[in-house]
Amino acid sequence: MKQQLVAVCLVCASLAPQCAVAQTWEPPSPAQRCPSKWGADDERGAANHMNPQTVLRASKLIKTGEMVELGWVLSSDMPLVGTRRFDLHTKRTGGPMGSNQRYTNEEIVITELGQVGTQLDMFSHQGIDGLLYNCIKIDDVATRSGFTKLGVEKIGTLFTRAVLIDVAALKGVDMLEAGYEITVADLQAALSRQGVSIGVGDAVLIRTGWARLWGKDNAKYNAGCPGIGVSAAQWLAQQDVMLLGADNFPVEVAPNPDKALNLPVHQIALAVNGIFLLENLNLETVAARGVYEFALLIQPLKLKGGTGSTVAPVALF
Amino acid sequence: MKQQLVAVCLVCASLAPQCAVAQTWEPPSPAQRCPSKWGADDERGAANHMNPQTVLRASKLIKTGEMVELGWVLSSDMPLVGTRRFDLHTKRTGGPMGSNQRYTNEEIVITELGQVGTQLDMFSHQGIDGLLYNCIKIDDVATRSGFTKLGVEKIGTLFTRAVLIDVAALKGVDMLEAGYEITVADLQAALSRQGVSIGVGDAVLIRTGWARLWGKDNAKYNAGCPGIGVSAAQWLAQQDVMLLGADNFPVEVAPNPDKALNLPVHQIALAVNGIFLLENLNLETVAARGVYEFALLIQPLKLKGGTGSTVAPVALF
Amino acid sequence: MKQQLVAVCLVCASLAPQCAVAQTWEPPSPAQRCPSKWGADDERGAANHMNPQTVLRASKLIKTGEMVELGWVLSSDMPLVGTRRFDLHTKRTGGPMGSNQRYTNEEIVITELGQVGTQLDMFSHQGIDGLLYNCIKIDDVATRSGFTKLGVEKIGTLFTRAVLIDVAALKGVDMLEAGYEITVADLQAALSRQGVSIGVGDAVLIRTGWARLWGKDNAKYNAGCPGIGVSAAQWLAQQDVMLLGADNFPVEVAPNPDKALNLPVHQIALAVNGIFLLENLNLETVAARGVYEFALLIQPLKLKGGTGSTVAPVALF
Amino acid sequence: MKQQLVAVCLVCASLAPQCAVAQTWEPPSPAQRCPSKWGADDERGAANHMNPQTVLRASKLIKTGEMVELGWVLSSDMPLVGTRRFDLHTKRTGGPMGSNQRYTNEEIVITELGQVGTQLDMFSHQGIDGLLYNCIKIDDVATRSGFTKLGVEKIGTLFTRAVLIDVAALKGVDMLEAGYEITVADLQAALSRQGVSIGVGDAVLIRTGWARLWGKDNAKYNAGCPGIGVSAAQWLAQQDVMLLGADNFPVEVAPNPDKALNLPVHQIALAVNGIFLLENLNLETVAARGVYEFALLIQPLKLKGGTGSTVAPVALF
């Protein structure tokens, strides 16, 4: 990716200062981006950061034993992109059974399970010109019932140090404006203000304040949002993080200020660098408490061949 | 519950020794079992054991940073009870989009989400004669789209000390026989052999060896199983545990040796005592490594009004 | 049912004239309504009117060979009651296959199949105090996967003479008002104006004009509607018809002018008399053409144990 | 298509006689097959045969008023190709409501609605090298929620003369063998034996006897089947028929005797000629009664953008 970054910087040098934000980007070629740094056969990307040292580093951040939920309740009332649905149909399946008069209930749930609510995106979710992470061809691994490679069942529980970057607080606003592209300078200023830094294998969670719209103005929530763009995503990828999360639906700014680009951070994270995206977080509580460093726990469902998983992450500290 | 236990013991005295295992049981009356010990308005039962001390106690068990998965991959090939289904339909939802030629994939998942695979049962799942935990009437809280009380979204992440009780190893077999009812004496002998004991708020995971059939002989896996019965469940409930788990589909022995009883442990745990059930675990790896005490992490999805959640628990030690 | 009608009339006599419309009603007792006139074992109700004579009578109404559709297109944009859904997910399932480069597409459809769009209600859909048509107990025939009796697969194609009763035209309005209860007098006046009469085994289709809201103001369409009430339904049942249809969602007036009653015509038709309901018709074209008598063709899907079927009926004349 | 047929015949002439059956085939080029004979903008293909004359011709075949069902009951027990499913989940949605104590039931149905059970294939179902009927590009008309062109809602009720061709009876067998390719000569001999001929706009229903396996040996039913191949399909297309139906899952022989070809009759009918396919018929009763000519009634659901519809056709005579 080095060559490409140079190219971007050259363009920036001639166009500054707006350039730092809304530059043109084109995906690195297959030759530039593959094989991934985790090897040509790798399907786990930044999940390779999970190892005993990472677990120990995270567990040592648990000092008071407090736990804060970072996920939303799943219901048909939550903001849903486009035609996506979350439908839970109660099934009162019987009773009384036995002399003990047992009654039983369950439900059918019908949903784009990896792509609704607080969710972790796996690499099979996004491609560049027909190719997924590690240049695996979509046509080669897509079946009627999931992907034979890069399925979310490959990840396992993520338990790592997380850094909250509160950009809304940095800017002194409740929430950033839709379409605002968070810059590298914003991230660095917020980290400096908070007195924390990003380490290899960390989860980086970016607060825009957008979560305040969740369940209150779903239409606005989904119509666009503030978030990181190409530059910030590339800088974060260079820090070698495990995942990028935010309190909006795509982690990244939407729409991208460069109208020709369609959610490029999805490609930078998932297809180019093998870094997970964690969307639709609720960062209000943890931010209000001023907790900027904590152990993050995410337990994606092991959906065979799935492109992601709805999750219910928590911060432990 | 005291009066009822006395009654059981009187019956036992006259029938010993088989009685210790397959005794008749009838559910305690509403007056006997309600309100729950967590209060008349409580919906969380043993999840009330989750507090900073519990988290700290669990996190201190993380010594090497190793993590072992205790859940199965979710696919249509797994054992499914009755007409339950797990269907994942790939949706190749588009591309190329933008100058960056973004491709996107997702899936529709259709399943009894709380009642397939490795799963945590919530209290809305089971009732006694029309009443759930805390004597909440099913008719009062059931809607077309979930339960207004006792939904699984009330639980949150469970992170507690877990004790593995390896009954198969105690008996020196690969797996116990279908229909074998694990006794209180079995549990006590296994604990003694392993040198561990159960504490308040712990998760108790019982290994029968039945997991060896998973994906290999699904018909046999679901046709019946070894597991705890009424006596062992009552004894475990007296230890004031957070959850009961096992490597079989109902945690408990099935069918119950008393043919009149229909899955009574479901009622004892969920409806009478507010203790969660964790079903279809894979305990083979953790047992093979001889790890009998560890931090258990379970992150149920926050399905509004759901009767349970498919989960992907891990052991940390 | 005779005794009950007498009772209603006595009440009417003392309260006239509004009474003719919004009278109190209580369902006939099981002893009064069972067994049905088609026999104690019958599951088909008015479908028993289908026989070669009925077919011949209908086919003789086909004079010009013209066909008018009476059903709506099924899509997620149509008015859907409450939490009902119609979701069609495209599945591009493959290609190129073989030297002939075959491509194939299909879809997953998820919907309350008998209860969306233009729909035929079967008797398992509605009960009185736990009992369906012919006093079959819901608890005895409900399974996780349909009803063992009174499923829609018992009906077969309906092909019979239909009479359109254009009440909106009688009243000289585009559409009747929501909550307007069509009276027996209305029906008789409209029939007289149109010069047609109802015969045994006929389908009776009542035009309120409400269809004009379909897809234009779905919220209003579902919030209430004009339609027949208890009196008109009982009078039509006495004519021994095969089905009652209308261009609104419940055939009947909603809400019922008697606030204590909850969709009583559903019970009168389905549970008491074994007469089908045909909902959400589009009667605009056939009414505009002044065709009041025609052959009606309805082909319900043979959903095993289903409570109804979405249909696409046509008028032939 | 003329040029291509000539080519096939030349090959045949040099290879006779086996050639008449298992010849190589390649799809006509876009230039050869488009625009369709119904015009470049047409989406209805042979449904254009539906007109008042067709209705009148069909209705005159109704002489005794008898009706025979040609469709199967839809349930999860029926033969389902690959991962297709038919799941009906009962929803006991409430009661008692109102002073009339109304109870209500419905169901969620989840299925590949156009591609299970007795089914009518629409043109969006099948393509040749990325192109559908009339050379409409799949990529241009596929959305997440159906096809913007060539959806099954464009068809409407089909009511036309049908000819049953009983090839099993011709051969004097209960059912033909899997893999047997029905020849043009077979069709002509059977028609001659039965004393009927095919007319323009007719439905042609071919009996192989394969229906005898339905619900009895589902695995065999789906593993392969007898049916028409390329030659017979081309000959039938030349007769300008409305639809081709059979009592097997693909209408055509499967697998094709030419191992390089993958269900070529699907392309010949749907993509080249705009002729519908009607699959999984039950022709046993109508054949047993010796009824070879009748009015066929098919009422596909109006699924917006759907690739087909499950149906419940009947024969009237």
Side-chain angles (χ1 to χ4, degrees):
Chain A
M1 240 182 69
K2 262 171 253 163
Q3 288 160 312
Q4 184 222 352
L5 282 169
V6 170
V8 168
C9 289
L10 288 176
V11 176
C12 284
S14 62
L15 293 181
Q18 302 85 333
C19 161
V21 177
Q23 83 278 34
T24 289
W25 178 74
E26 58 181 85
S29 69
Q32 287 172 314
R33 71 184 192 260
C34 299
S36 87
K37 71 174 170 186
W38 303 103
D41 293 334
D42 180 62
E43 300 183 45
R44 301 183 72 235
N48 287 297
H49 281 303
M50 283 306 309
N51 57 45
Q53 286 67 41
T54 302
V55 169
L56 287 177
R57 189 167 53 114
S59 65
K60 292 201 172 104
L61 297 171
I62 306 176
K63 287 160 186 165
T64 65
E66 288 183 272
M67 189 190 289
V68 173
E69 297 200 335
L70 306 178
W72 295 106
V73 169
L74 297 163
S75 82
S76 57
D77 298 331
M78 62 186 172
L80 290 162
V81 173
T83 59
R84 288 186 192 148
R85 294 285 175 89
F86 176 85
D87 287 331
L88 183 155
H89 301 272
T90 303
K91 292 172 68 180
R92 296 177 61 171
T93 39
M97 293 180 283
S99 63
N100 48 324
Q101 296 184 283
R102 187 168 70 94
Y103 277 69
T104 179
N105 304 306
E106 55 192 68
E107 56 275 304
I108 272 282
V109 175
I110 301 165
T111 189
E112 289 86 352
L113 192 58
Q115 307 300 334
V116 299
T118 305
Q119 69 198 250
L120 185 80
D121 283 349
M122 179 51 180
F123 311 139
S124 45
H125 180 39
Q126 298 284 305
I128 301 171
D129 195 18
L131 301 181
L132 302 169
Y133 169 74
N134 237 337
C135 294
I136 293 172
K137 204 174 167 187
I138 298 176
D139 284 346
D140 287 349
V141 296
T143 76
R144 297 166 62 98
S145 309
F147 290 81
T148 54
K149 292 193 176 177
L150 304 177
V152 71
E153 82 278 14
K154 302 285 168 66
I155 301 179
T157 291
L158 302 180
F159 182 39
T160 189
R161 176 180 182 259
V163 171
L164 171 70
I165 305 182
D166 191 341
V167 183
L170 171 77
K171 301 288 185 180
V173 295
D174 276 355
M175 66 178 83
L176 303 173
E177 306 253 307
Y180 178 75
E181 179 176 338
I182 295 170
T183 65
V184 175
D186 288 341
L187 297 179
Q188 290 171 334
L191 285 166
S192 170
R193 173 181 170 274
Q194 298 170 189
V196 290
S197 60
I198 300 171
V200 169
D202 278 1
V204 174
L205 309 185
I206 298 164
R207 180 172 174 269
T208 68
W210 209 244
R212 297 187 173 211
L213 299 170
W214 184 277
K216 298 199 178 68
D217 189 344
N218 288 349
K220 183 174 176 188
Y221 185 90
N222 275 332
C225 64
I228 57 172
V230 168
S231 297
Q234 288 183 322
W235 180 76
L236 288 164
Q238 284 179 300
Q239 313 308 309
D240 202 7
V241 299
M242 188 185 289
L243 71 80
L244 301 177
D247 56 353
N248 58 20
F249 68 92
V251 176
E252 66 188 289
V253 60
N256 196 281
D258 179 341
K259 298 308 179 211
L261 293 179
N262 189 300
L263 297 182
V265 174
H266 270 64
Q267 294 176 318
I268 292 169
L270 300 168
V272 177
N273 290 290
I275 292 171
F276 304 103
L277 295 176
L278 182 57
E279 299 166 341
N280 293 325
L281 289 165
N282 178 358
L283 300 173
E284 296 306 286
T285 305
V286 78
R289 298 192 46 178
V291 181
Y292 299 120
E293 181 190 27
F294 46 82
L296 177 70
L297 251 177
I298 314 174
Q299 205 160 68
L301 294 183
K302 298 184 76 63
L303 303 164
K304 190 176 180 182
T307 68
S309 175
T310 298
V311 287
V314 293
L316 290 167
F317 51 91
Chain B
M1 240 181 67
K2 261 171 256 163
Q3 289 160 310
Q4 184 222 352
L5 282 169
V6 169
V8 168
C9 290
L10 287 176
V11 175
C12 285
S14 63
L15 292 181
Q18 300 85 333
C19 161
V21 176
Q23 83 278 36
T24 287
W25 178 74
E26 57 180 87
S29 70
Q32 286 172 313
R33 70 184 193 259
C34 298
S36 86
K37 72 172 169 187
W38 303 104
D41 293 334
D42 180 62
E43 300 183 45
R44 301 183 71 235
N48 287 296
H49 281 303
M50 280 308 309
N51 57 43
Q53 286 66 42
T54 301
V55 169
L56 287 176
R57 188 168 55 114
S59 66
K60 292 204 172 99
L61 296 171
I62 306 177
K63 287 161 187 164
T64 65
E66 288 183 271
M67 187 190 290
V68 173
E69 298 199 334
L70 306 179
W72 296 106
V73 169
L74 296 162
S75 82
S76 56
D77 298 330
M78 61 186 173
L80 291 161
V81 173
T83 60
R84 287 185 192 150
R85 293 286 173 90
F86 175 86
D87 287 331
L88 182 156
H89 301 271
T90 303
K91 291 173 69 180
R92 295 178 61 171
T93 38
M97 293 181 283
S99 63
N100 48 324
Q101 297 183 281
R102 188 168 70 92
Y103 277 69
T104 180
N105 304 305
E106 55 194 66
E107 57 274 306
I108 274 283
V109 176
I110 302 164
T111 190
E112 289 86 353
L113 192 58
Q115 307 300 334
V116 298
T118 305
Q119 70 197 251
L120 185 80
D121 282 350
M122 181 51 181
F123 312 138
S124 44
H125 180 42
Q126 298 284 305
I128 301 170
D129 195 17
L131 300 181
L132 302 169
Y133 169 75
N134 237 337
C135 295
I136 293 172
K137 202 173 168 187
I138 297 176
D139 284 346
D140 287 349
V141 295
T143 77
R144 296 167 61 97
S145 310
F147 290 80
T148 55
K149 291 192 176 178
L150 304 179
V152 71
E153 82 278 14
K154 303 284 169 65
I155 302 180
T157 291
L158 302 181
F159 183 39
T160 190
R161 175 178 182 263
V163 171
L164 170 69
I165 305 183
D166 192 342
V167 182
L170 172 76
K171 302 287 185 180
V173 295
D174 276 354
M175 65 178 84
L176 303 172
E177 306 253 309
Y180 178 76
E181 179 176 337
I182 295 170
T183 64
V184 175
D186 288 339
L187 296 179
Q188 290 171 334
L191 285 166
S192 169
R193 175 181 168 273
Q194 299 170 187
V196 290
S197 59
I198 299 172
V200 169
D202 280 358
V204 174
L205 310 184
I206 297 163
R207 180 172 173 268
T208 67
W210 208 245
R212 297 186 174 213
L213 298 170
W214 184 277
K216 297 199 178 67
D217 189 345
N218 289 346
K220 182 173 177 189
Y221 185 91
N222 276 332
C225 64
I228 57 174
V230 169
S231 298
Q234 289 183 322
W235 180 76
L236 289 164
Q238 284 177 302
Q239 314 306 310
D240 201 6
V241 298
M242 188 185 291
L243 70 81
L244 300 177
D247 55 352
N248 58 19
F249 70 91
V251 175
E252 66 188 287
V253 61
N256 195 283
D258 180 340
K259 298 309 179 209
L261 293 178
N262 189 299
L263 297 181
V265 174
H266 270 63
Q267 294 176 319
I268 293 169
L270 300 168
V272 177
N273 290 291
I275 292 171
F276 304 103
L277 295 177
L278 181 57
E279 300 165 341
N280 293 324
L281 289 165
N282 177 358
L283 299 173
E284 296 306 287
T285 304
V286 78
R289 297 193 47 177
V291 181
Y292 299 120
E293 180 190 29
F294 46 83
L296 177 70
L297 251 175
I298 313 175
Q299 205 159 69
L301 295 183
K302 297 184 74 66
L303 304 164
K304 190 176 179 183
T307 66
S309 174
T310 297
V311 287
V314 293
L316 289 166
F317 51 90
Chain C
M1 239 183 69
K2 261 172 255 163
Q3 290 159 311
Q4 183 220 355
L5 283 169
V6 169
V8 168
C9 290
L10 286 175
V11 175
C12 285
S14 64
L15 293 180
Q18 301 86 334
C19 159
V21 177
Q23 82 279 31
T24 287
W25 178 74
E26 57 180 86
S29 70
Q32 286 171 315
R33 68 183 194 260
C34 299
S36 87
K37 72 173 170 186
W38 304 103
D41 294 332
D42 181 62
E43 300 183 45
R44 300 184 71 234
N48 287 297
H49 280 303
M50 281 306 310
N51 57 43
Q53 286 67 42
T54 301
V55 169
L56 286 177
R57 188 167 55 113
S59 66
K60 291 203 173 101
L61 296 171
I62 305 176
K63 286 162 187 163
T64 65
E66 288 184 272
M67 188 190 290
V68 173
E69 296 199 336
L70 307 179
W72 296 105
V73 169
L74 296 164
S75 82
S76 55
D77 299 329
M78 62 186 173
L80 290 162
V81 173
T83 59
R84 287 184 193 151
R85 293 285 173 88
F86 175 86
D87 287 331
L88 182 155
H89 301 272
T90 302
K91 291 172 69 179
R92 296 178 61 171
T93 38
M97 293 181 283
S99 62
N100 48 325
Q101 298 183 281
R102 187 168 71 93
Y103 277 70
T104 179
N105 305 305
E106 54 193 66
E107 57 274 303
I108 273 281
V109 176
I110 302 164
T111 190
E112 289 85 352
L113 192 58
Q115 306 300 333
V116 298
T118 305
Q119 69 196 251
L120 185 79
D121 282 350
M122 181 51 182
F123 311 138
S124 43
H125 180 41
Q126 297 285 306
I128 301 171
D129 195 17
L131 301 180
L132 302 169
Y133 169 75
N134 236 339
C135 294
I136 292 172
K137 202 174 169 187
I138 297 176
D139 283 346
D140 288 348
V141 295
T143 77
R144 296 166 62 97
S145 310
F147 290 81
T148 54
K149 291 193 177 179
L150 304 177
V152 71
E153 81 279 13
K154 303 285 169 65
I155 301 178
T157 291
L158 301 180
F159 183 39
T160 189
R161 176 179 182 261
V163 171
L164 170 70
I165 305 182
D166 191 342
V167 182
L170 172 76
K171 301 288 186 180
V173 295
D174 276 354
M175 65 178 85
L176 303 172
E177 306 252 310
Y180 178 76
E181 179 175 338
I182 295 170
T183 64
V184 175
D186 288 340
L187 296 178
Q188 289 171 334
L191 285 166
S192 169
R193 174 181 168 272
Q194 298 170 187
V196 289
S197 60
I198 299 170
V200 169
D202 279 358
V204 174
L205 310 184
I206 297 163
R207 179 171 173 270
T208 68
W210 208 245
R212 297 187 174 212
L213 298 171
W214 184 275
K216 297 197 179 68
D217 189 346
N218 288 348
K220 183 174 176 188
Y221 185 90
N222 275 333
C225 65
I228 58 174
V230 168
S231 297
Q234 289 183 322
W235 180 76
L236 288 164
Q238 285 178 300
Q239 314 306 309
D240 201 8
V241 298
M242 187 184 291
L243 70 82
L244 300 177
D247 55 354
N248 58 19
F249 69 91
V251 176
E252 66 189 288
V253 60
N256 196 283
D258 179 341
K259 297 310 178 208
L261 292 179
N262 189 299
L263 298 182
V265 174
H266 270 62
Q267 293 176 318
I268 293 170
L270 299 168
V272 177
N273 289 291
I275 292 171
F276 304 103
L277 295 177
L278 182 58
E279 300 166 340
N280 293 325
L281 289 165
N282 178 357
L283 300 173
E284 294 307 286
T285 305
V286 78
R289 297 193 48 178
V291 181
Y292 299 120
E293 179 190 29
F294 46 83
L296 176 70
L297 250 175
I298 313 174
Q299 206 159 67
L301 294 183
K302 298 184 74 67
L303 303 165
K304 189 174 180 183
T307 66
S309 174
T310 298
V311 287
V314 293
L316 290 166
F317 51 90
Chain D
M1 240 182 66
K2 259 172 256 165
Q3 289 160 311
Q4 184 222 350
L5 283 168
V6 169
V8 169
C9 290
L10 287 176
V11 176
C12 284
S14 63
L15 293 181
Q18 300 86 332
C19 161
V21 176
Q23 83 278 33
T24 289
W25 178 74
E26 57 181 85
S29 70
Q32 286 171 316
R33 71 183 191 259
C34 300
S36 88
K37 72 174 172 187
W38 304 103
D41 293 333
D42 180 61
E43 299 182 45
R44 300 183 71 235
N48 287 297
H49 281 303
M50 281 308 309
N51 58 43
Q53 286 67 40
T54 301
V55 169
L56 287 177
R57 188 167 56 112
S59 66
K60 291 199 173 104
L61 296 172
I62 305 175
K63 286 160 186 165
T64 64
E66 288 183 271
M67 187 191 290
V68 173
E69 297 199 336
L70 308 179
W72 295 106
V73 169
L74 295 162
S75 82
S76 57
D77 298 330
M78 63 186 171
L80 290 162
V81 173
T83 59
R84 288 185 192 150
R85 294 284 174 91
F86 175 86
D87 287 331
L88 183 156
H89 301 271
T90 303
K91 291 171 69 180
R92 296 179 60 171
T93 39
M97 293 180 283
S99 63
N100 48 324
Q101 297 184 281
R102 186 169 69 94
Y103 277 70
T104 179
N105 303 306
E106 54 192 68
E107 57 275 304
I108 273 280
V109 176
I110 301 165
T111 189
E112 289 86 351
L113 192 59
Q115 307 300 333
V116 298
T118 305
Q119 70 197 251
L120 185 78
D121 283 349
M122 180 49 180
F123 311 139
S124 45
H125 180 41
Q126 298 284 306
I128 301 172
D129 195 17
L131 301 180
L132 302 169
Y133 169 74
N134 237 337
C135 295
I136 292 172
K137 203 173 167 186
I138 297 175
D139 284 346
D140 288 349
V141 296
T143 77
R144 295 167 62 97
S145 309
F147 290 81
T148 55
K149 292 194 176 177
L150 303 177
V152 70
E153 81 278 15
K154 303 285 168 65
I155 300 179
T157 291
L158 302 180
F159 183 38
T160 189
R161 176 179 183 261
V163 171
L164 170 70
I165 306 183
D166 191 342
V167 182
L170 172 76
K171 301 288 185 180
V173 295
D174 276 354
M175 65 178 85
L176 303 173
E177 306 253 309
Y180 178 76
E181 179 175 338
I182 295 170
T183 66
V184 175
D186 288 340
L187 297 179
Q188 291 172 333
L191 285 166
S192 169
R193 175 180 168 274
Q194 298 171 188
V196 290
S197 59
I198 299 171
V200 169
D202 279 0
V204 174
L205 308 185
I206 297 164
R207 179 172 173 270
T208 68
W210 208 243
R212 297 186 174 213
L213 298 170
W214 184 276
K216 298 199 177 69
D217 189 346
N218 288 349
K220 183 174 177 187
Y221 185 89
N222 275 333
C225 64
I228 58 172
V230 169
S231 297
Q234 289 184 322
W235 181 76
L236 288 163
Q238 283 179 303
Q239 314 306 310
D240 202 7
V241 298
M242 187 184 290
L243 71 81
L244 301 177
D247 55 353
N248 57 20
F249 69 91
V251 175
E252 66 188 288
V253 60
N256 196 281
D258 179 340
K259 298 307 179 209
L261 294 179
N262 189 299
L263 297 181
V265 174
H266 270 63
Q267 294 176 318
I268 292 170
L270 299 168
V272 177
N273 289 290
I275 292 171
F276 304 103
L277 294 177
L278 182 57
E279 299 166 342
N280 291 327
L281 289 165
N282 178 357
L283 300 172
E284 295 307 286
T285 304
V286 78
R289 298 195 45 179
V291 181
Y292 300 119
E293 181 190 27
F294 46 81
L296 176 71
L297 251 175
I298 314 175
Q299 206 160 67
L301 294 184
K302 298 183 75 63
L303 304 164
K304 190 175 180 183
T307 67
S309 174
T310 297
V311 287
V314 293
L316 291 166
F317 51 92

